[in-house]
Amino acid sequence: MAEHNTFADYAAKNEKWRSALNIPAYVQYSDQVDIAWQVIEDLSMEDPDKYEQFRAEALAAGATEEEEEREDSPPLSQAERIRQELAGIAPGTYLMLHGHYGNAINATIEQGKLVSIDDKAGTVKLHSTVYNKDLTVRMDQITYIDASRSGSGALGAVQQADLRRVGNDWYRGNQKL
């Protein structure tokens, strides 16, 4: 199953396979990966030859990418990885920033809609939807970013209907993706 997750990530990033597997390009990346995972799972059962072709191409591309990464650049620091991840997130996206803020011994979460990123100062500004105020978080205190929720984590996990396919169309609940 872990192999399918890697392949789903590859399929969502690769335009050729995204098109061949009928994965909508205009939905959020996490939804593309979910759809790709389900399509690959179905493909492995229904069309083993096409699955093996996809699998071979994905493995070859993954090996090439790993070699290029090793040759081209040293490993990224935690702060640089967070900075790059934030650069790919659109303003207005609801984020949960996990990290050690202030004098906290245990990890805590700062959450809200992304307002801006200040690379020079190394900070991220969020707008708290719960308290209706802005808060600033230092990037070097963030351990990881969760952009998969659409509302306050204090209210519990956001429930979303499972993805389902009708013909070549994908739906989350009753909404077509």
Side-chain angles (χ1 to χ4, degrees), residues 139-152:
M139 285 186 213
D140 62 350
Q141 294 178 325
I142 301 170
T143 45
Y144 73 95
I145 300 168
D146 181 358
S148 66
R149 308 243 180 137
S150 60
S152 172

Side-chain angles (χ1 to χ4, degrees), residues 28 30-31 34-35 38 148 150 157-165 170-177:
Q28 280 190 348
S30 60
D31 288 339
D34 290 346
I35 291 168
Q38 290 180 358
S148 66
S150 60
V158 174
Q159 297 291 316
Q160 290 187 337
D162 289 337
L163 286 170
R164 62 186 169 90
R165 180 170 50 183
W170 285 92
Y171 291 84
R172 182 176 292 282
N174 290 329
Q175 183 179 0
K176 183 177 177 182
L177 301 177

Side-chain angles (χ1 to χ4, degrees), residues 69-83:
E69 282 179 14
R70 271 187 249 131
E71 292 172 1
D72 292 345
S73 62
L76 294 176
S77 68
Q78 171 82 4
E80 189 57 35
R81 186 185 57 76
I82 293 295
R83 191 177 307 265

